[in-house]
Amino acid sequence: MAPPASIVEAFVGNAEYAPEKACLFFEGERWTYEGLHVRAETFAAALKTWGLETGERVALFLGNSPDLIAAYLGTHLAGGVVVPVNTQYRREELRHIFDDAGVRLCLTDAERRPELDRVRAGLPELKTVVETGEELEDSLKDVGEHDIELPEGEDLAVIAYTSGTTGRSKGAMLLHRNLAANAEAVCEAWRWSADDKLLLTLPLFHTHGLMVGVHGTLFAGASAELYRRFDPASVYDALLEGSVTMFFGVPTMYVRLLREARGRDRRPRPLRLYVSGSAALSPQAFEEFEEIFEERILERYGMTETIMNTTNPYEGERRPGTVGRPFPGQEARVVDVRSRKPLPAGEVGEIEVIGPHVFKGYWNRPDATQEVFDGDGWFRTGDLGSVSEDGYYTISGRAKELIISGGYNIYPREIEELLEGYSGVSEAAVVGLPDEEYGERVVAAIVRESQDLNEAELINLCRQDLAGFKRPREVVFMEELPRNALGKVQKHLVRDQLVNSEEET
Ligand code: MLC
Ligand code: AMP
């Protein structure tokens, strides 16, 4: 039998095979495969009743909940394309995504709606906004009968916005077949089966939570205990309770779990699998975790454009500080950044990947798409690294200018452009400084026009315009920014100055 061409096809197959099997647990509710299937079909019919045409975009701007997953599947059943939206985004970030993707319909919740309402007038293509709860339940009552079809593998499934080097984020176009192929590879590599129960506390608007956590669960016919958000105490309690078999987290979550464990007497029994990704897990955290939890975390490496790229082995050596080998059916290589020629083991260059998981390109951005493909379909990840003689990849830096804080990607240019737009700021350079908990934290170096401008004022302005995780944690005023002979700001020197002044204080 041919493998499923989409996640929704795999899900429907599992729902037909084992309708009564538990799929999701959420705040005391138990959702069976059949229950979620019915809800997804209701969403699909509702989207059609509200006028959604094949290929039109549906934004999901709401917190973790079964409805988010049902609406995701329902959009695919209705032939729509999902645009997941970070729930921390503020007006300008929202305006850009909704406008760029031409979002036609949005499902949101009471907490996020006011932020969307602030920009709605400037979004003529956004015809319908529905809020979960009473408004949604009322509108689902009038849903008509509609034909529902499974999507084709080549159809566009998701436009996932990823931070952009030029400030504005770009929409990565993932096809149904990309999602299905990667989920199949992940399930095979990690031996994910219908018997598994994943503790899922990651946000569902990013690759890690949605395309690894949710897709893997639905593909394997497994179940997930879904949380609204990560909270170390509740996660520790759930681990002690012992019914989950897997936990996936970003390194910040593991750092917090370790802190939680130090304050507890009881230890959870080892799980089948702990996975870390989205940012580098420090070898210290890996080792401390092994001491306390008696388990070696499996670290893997992925990104929005390609979902999962490499993984440490399920059986075999999980090597701290490395991200393992390519997933089954996929390939990776390290190339020289200038000549683009493959490099021998041990040498550092840019990591490239190829395979059925690699996205189609950026929405409406053929220029940007062309830049990231290196001929013959190899995708330039923008990550620097090397590969060992026995095939393990190590990420050692980034060719792209990027800060990763708590697993969220932040492009400094976006924040610099905003800061430079504030009155009193003549120049801004944003860098990431090392941070024990978040890996890196955002710090802004500012050249100001007047001494009256202060740190609190700038941070407050950013609070209004930016998602909280992008807001600079500190602002440092400088007489001038270090520049090279061509006038380009030397970010590494800014960073060195800030690190040195931190060490002095
Ligand atoms: C929240 N805050 C952060 C932050 N997350 N600040 C810096 N970095 C972060 N990552 C800020 C909030 O804005 C707020 O500040 C304050 O912290 C408290 O908010 P909170 O909601 O209580 O957040 P917190 O519990 O601290 O969140 C930490 C976290 C979260 C680790 C649980 O960041 C998280 O869920 N990260 C996961 C991100 C993720 O899924 N990445 C995957 C990308 S996919 P204020 O001042 O505004 O109130 C990818 C590909 C791959 O990378 O390989 O997986
Ligand atoms: P995003 O664009 O949000 O999907 O983030 C992808 C980026 O996260 C990658 O390009 C890497 O820089 C980083 N990343 C993901 N997993 C890891 C990991 N295990 N170690 C180091 N960096 C990682």
Side-chain angles (χ1 to χ4, degrees):
M1 211 169 66
S6 63
I7 296 297
V8 70
E9 186 177 328
F11 165 72
V12 170
N14 285 325
E16 281 163 2
Y17 176 72
E20 290 311 316
K21 182 166 191 310
C23 180
L24 287 178
F25 297 89
F26 180 74
E27 299 185 342
E29 295 170 10
R30 178 181 185 274
W31 286 74
T32 60
Y33 267 83
E34 185 177 27
L36 192 66
H37 187 199
V38 168
R39 187 76 174 164
E41 285 195 329
T42 308
F43 266 110
L47 290 168
K48 292 199 165 193
T49 306
W50 299 331
L52 188 84
E53 302 281 344
T54 304
E56 285 189 327
R57 275 75 60 203
V58 175
L60 300 180
F61 181 46
L62 70 163
N64 284 6
S65 58
D67 265 346
L68 192 162
I69 299 173
Y72 179 77
L73 295 166
T75 302
H76 288 161
L77 287 173
V81 176
V82 173
V83 180
V85 184
N86 188 316
T87 51
Q88 286 198 47
Y89 278 173
R90 312 303 301 267
R91 50 192 171 184
E92 196 40 41
E93 295 157 319
L94 293 176
R95 204 203 53 71
H96 168 64
I97 291 177
F98 278 71
D99 180 52
D100 188 68
V103 169
R104 170 92 166 69
L105 263 138
C106 174
L107 183 70
T108 188
D109 56 22
E111 209 181 321
R112 277 89 201 178
R113 188 169 195 158
E115 199 60 31
L116 184 59
D117 284 344
R118 291 166 78 185
V119 289
R120 180 133 186 226
L123 298 168
E125 285 183 80
L126 179 60
K127 299 282 185 246
T128 311
V129 175
V130 182
E131 185 180 311
T132 52
E134 220 173 295
E135 185 179 274
L136 173 66
E137 299 318 316
D138 278 351
S139 43
L140 290 182
K141 282 182 198 144
D142 308 320
V143 162
E145 289 278 315
H146 293 275
D147 289 338
I148 284 171
E149 272 177 48
L150 290 172
E152 303 280 334
E154 288 300 324
D155 294 342
L156 183 56
V158 174
I159 304 180
Y161 276 79
T162 171
S163 325
T165 35
T166 50
R168 285 283 158 87
S169 55
K170 298 178 295 225
M173 297 188 287
L174 289 143
L175 308 180
H176 284 285
R177 66 172 173 78
N178 298 138
L179 310 182
N182 200 250
E184 189 179 1
V186 168
C187 289
E188 181 186 333
W190 297 347
R191 315 282 188 269
W192 202 332
S193 80
D195 295 332
D196 277 308
K197 184 176 178 188
L198 170 69
L199 180 53
L200 184 52
T201 71
L202 286 152
L204 297 187
F205 46 74
H206 271 321
T207 302
H208 200 163
L210 180 63
M211 303 201 180
V212 193
V214 173
H215 287 181
T217 298
L218 302 180
F219 196 92
S223 67
E225 174 91 47
L226 180 67
Y227 281 19
R228 254 174 229 275
R229 58 189 296 275
F230 173 82
D231 162 58
S234 336
V235 167
Y236 199 88
D237 288 340
L239 296 174
L240 282 177
E241 190 265 332
S243 71
V244 296
T245 64
M246 304 195 286
F247 175 78
F248 299 170
V250 298
T252 303
M253 294 177 175
Y254 283 103
V255 169
R256 291 189 185 175
L257 255 186
L258 282 167
R259 198 187 297 149
E260 182 68 28
R262 283 183 222 119
R264 301 274 195 127
D265 305 328
R266 283 179 62 208
R267 294 283 174 250
R269 271 183 292 132
L271 297 194
R272 189 176 76 71
L273 187 62
Y274 282 99
V275 177
S276 174
S278 309
L281 179 73
S282 75
Q284 297 88 294
F286 179 95
E287 274 151 30
E288 194 181 347
F289 198 87
E290 188 173 13
E291 267 165 41
I292 295 185
F293 289 81
E294 295 175 25
E295 195 118 17
R296 288 170 81 79
I297 299 172
L298 179 151
E299 182 167 4
R300 90 318 176 264
Y301 156 58
M303 60 195 307
T304 306
E305 290 88 338
T306 58
I307 325 177
M308 292 298 99
N309 289 327
T310 67
T311 178
N312 269 280
Y314 183 74
E315 281 143 12
E317 187 195 356
R318 297 183 193 167
R319 203 175 288 170
T322 80
V323 292
R325 303 187 177 102
F327 277 90
Q330 306 177 184
E331 287 175 67
R333 67 180 186 185
V334 176
V335 300
D336 182 88
V337 250
R338 269 173 287 275
S339 72
R340 311 309 301 175
K341 295 231 166 66
L343 289 170
E347 285 190 31
V348 173
E350 184 170 351
I351 300 174
E352 293 193 331
V353 297
I354 196 165
H357 62 310
V358 176
F359 80 142
K360 189 173 167 62
Y362 297 108
W363 176 253
N364 285 339
R365 294 287 307 273
D367 53 329
T369 304
Q370 206 184 356
E371 273 173 31
V372 293
F373 284 102
D374 215 1
D376 304 332
W378 285 93
F379 171 74
R380 304 175 171 197
T381 61
D383 291 309
L384 298 177
S386 58
V387 57
S388 67
E389 291 288 353
D390 58 354
Y392 281 66
Y393 282 76
T394 298
I395 297 174
S396 52
R398 295 177 203 123
K400 53 195 176 190
E401 207 190 302
L402 171 70
I403 300 169
I404 304 186
S405 170
Y408 284 128
N409 280 11
I410 302 163
Y411 271 93
R413 197 60 220 141
E414 181 184 4
I415 307 170
E416 288 161 1
E417 280 171 11
L418 187 79
L419 287 166
E420 285 170 355
Y422 292 146
S423 97
V425 174
S426 67
E427 283 183 294
V430 168
V431 296
L433 293 194
D435 187 273
E436 260 179 40
E437 183 161 352
Y438 287 107
E440 287 180 290
R441 69 176 186 286
V442 177
V443 178
I446 300 284
V447 179
R448 59 186 159 181
E449 282 160 7
S450 136
Q451 296 296 314
D452 296 340
L453 185 71
N454 62 39
E455 178 178 16
E457 201 179 331
L458 276 179
I459 290 184
N460 267 334
L461 283 169
C462 290
R463 200 185 282 284
Q464 290 167 29
D465 291 325
L466 285 174
F469 63 90
K470 296 184 195 168
R471 178 175 52 74
R473 290 320 191 234
E474 287 149 59
V475 171
V476 177
F477 294 103
M478 289 185 170
E479 287 299 313
E480 57 181 1
L481 298 178
R483 291 182 182 276
N484 65 11
L486 299 170
K488 195 174 168 351
V489 175
Q490 300 287 82
K491 284 286 185 68
H492 62 285
L493 296 181
V494 176
R495 194 175 302 108
D496 291 350
Q497 279 185 31
L498 294 175
V499 170
N500 289 341
S501 63
E502 228 173 43
E503 281 167 1
E504 280 163 21
T505 51

